[in-house]
Amino acid sequence: MHNFINSEENKKIKFIKSLKQKKARTRESTYILEGIKPVMEAITEGIRIREIFLSKSFFEDGMKDYPDLQKQKLNIIEDKIFYQITDTVNSQGIFASVFADLKDVEDILPFGRYILLDGLSDPGNMGGIIRGVDAFGFDGLIVGPNSVDVLNEKVVRSTMSSIFRINIYVMKNMDEMEILKSRMFRILATSLEEKSFTAKDSDLKDNVVIIIGNESQGVSDGMKKFASQSLYIPMVGGAESLNANVSASILMYESMRQRS
């Protein structure tokens, strides 16, 4: 039995609007997933979906092509209200609220390969790095202090569903770096200094945490104190630095190459 919504005062509409704020996403451990392909992948992969919402026009005209969607309990929203909620240009008329599966740093096992984000501020960069963690078989992403919220709608959208397939750990504070050190990880910080070790000359095969810093400031001094080595990616052109997502992807590819 589907639920039809025709009022902005509906409690479900108010709840969805609240998820635009990080505080509510954290409190409810819930995020918004928008678009037909991501929602269908979430259904297929058995992701814990809280609720699914369709615009009235998509329900009437587009749903017939998705038999698995027809089996779900759906919330049908009047178009005028639906398009006030979504912030996506040319929305496809479907989104879902999804339970997040974020883990604590204490949950990290004492082996494997991880990317740690230190003050990363751009949602697109974070989403791209999440895709890289998925693509290059890393064991997880650690979201360090002062980074953009990993449940931000722009982050989730730019992961292209890779957020379903990776382990994500959220640091409460910088002190939790001691947990990683106690588990004997080699902690490596990216650097623009040419005197640092190049990625090719560094052992990235296993038991490493690679820190990717802020887009403009790089790895913070606080994080550098925990690193046993700096990593440098040689460049021959005129660019001063690489995009954080590009840097992370190069290092993850090099790690995968070394393992092969």
Side-chain angles (χ1 to χ4, degrees):
M1 186 73 177
H2 301 319
N3 178 43
F4 290 84
I5 299 174
N6 56 15
S7 170
E8 293 181 44
E9 299 304 310
N10 184 284
K11 64 181 182 180
K12 293 187 178 184
I13 298 297
K14 290 183 175 180
F15 178 73
I16 291 299
K17 286 181 176 180
S18 77
L19 295 178
K20 302 290 182 181
Q21 305 300 318
K22 178 180 178 180
K23 184 165 70 173
R25 292 192 295 267
T26 302
R27 182 184 66 244
E28 300 293 336
S29 193
T30 302
Y31 63 94
I32 297 296
L33 182 68
E34 185 159 2
I36 184 64
K37 187 173 185 291
V39 171
M40 293 309 299
E41 284 190 51
I43 292 172
T44 302
E45 297 196 26
I47 303 303
R48 290 181 63 217
I49 296 174
R50 193 164 184 157
E51 293 195 276
I52 298 174
F53 298 83
L54 308 181
S55 67
K56 185 178 178 182
S57 57
F58 180 81
F59 175 70
E60 292 174 346
D61 302 327
M63 199 178 74
K64 60 183 181 295
D65 298 324
Y66 302 97
D68 287 345
L69 185 61
Q70 296 171 29
K71 300 173 187 175
Q72 308 295 315
K73 182 178 180 181
L74 305 171
N75 295 283
I76 318 303
I77 307 175
E78 288 288 344
D79 283 13
K80 182 179 178 181
I81 300 171
F82 184 95
Y83 291 108
Q84 287 176 351
I85 300 171
T86 178
D87 63 354
T88 303
V89 178
N90 300 321
S91 170
Q92 294 179 309
I94 179 170
F95 66 83
S97 56
V98 179
F99 287 106
D101 184 23
L102 302 182
K103 307 176 191 304
D104 295 326
V105 174
E106 289 99 336
D107 298 328
I108 295 177
L109 297 175
F111 56 84
R113 300 170 299 154
Y114 298 85
I115 293 291
L116 192 160
L117 303 181
D118 176 30
L120 203 76
S121 61
D122 181 77
N125 271 336
M126 182 179 282
I129 291 171
I130 288 172
R131 290 169 69 182
V133 170
D134 182 16
F136 298 115
F138 264 54
D139 295 282
L141 178 80
I142 305 168
V143 182
N146 304 315
S147 292
V148 65
D149 179 22
V150 71
L151 301 182
N152 177 298
E153 279 187 65
K154 292 180 180 178
V155 173
V156 173
R157 194 178 306 131
S158 61
T159 70
M160 303 291 286
S161 300
S162 284
I163 194 171
F164 303 153
R165 293 184 285 272
I166 74 165
N167 294 315
I168 300 176
Y169 305 86
V170 179
M171 291 182 67
K172 300 182 183 71
N173 52 59
M174 191 80 75
D175 293 342
E176 290 191 315
M177 290 299 293
E178 295 290 353
I179 297 173
L180 300 178
K181 287 193 70 174
S182 71
R183 293 180 186 176
M184 307 307 291
F185 283 105
R186 286 177 298 109
I187 300 173
L188 313 178
T190 49
S191 173
L192 292 175
E193 297 180 13
E194 293 188 28
K195 63 182 180 182
S196 306
F197 288 90
T198 66
K200 185 177 179 181
D201 295 330
S202 302
D203 182 2
L204 306 180
K205 290 192 294 294
D206 213 346
N207 295 359
V208 292
V209 174
I210 301 173
I211 305 175
I212 304 295
N214 175 268
E215 289 85 350
S216 59
Q217 304 299 320
V219 177
S220 65
D221 290 339
M223 279 291 185
K224 286 178 183 176
K225 294 176 183 177
F226 293 98
S228 59
Q229 180 185 321
S230 293
L231 275 179
Y232 173 72
I233 300 173
M235 296 177 289
V236 296
E240 291 184 2
S241 63
L242 294 171
N243 174 284
N245 176 21
V246 173
S247 296
S249 295
I250 290 172
L251 294 170
M252 286 188 280
Y253 174 81
E254 174 60 21
S255 173
M256 183 182 73
R257 187 194 67 79
Q258 290 182 14
R259 286 166 67 91
S260 66

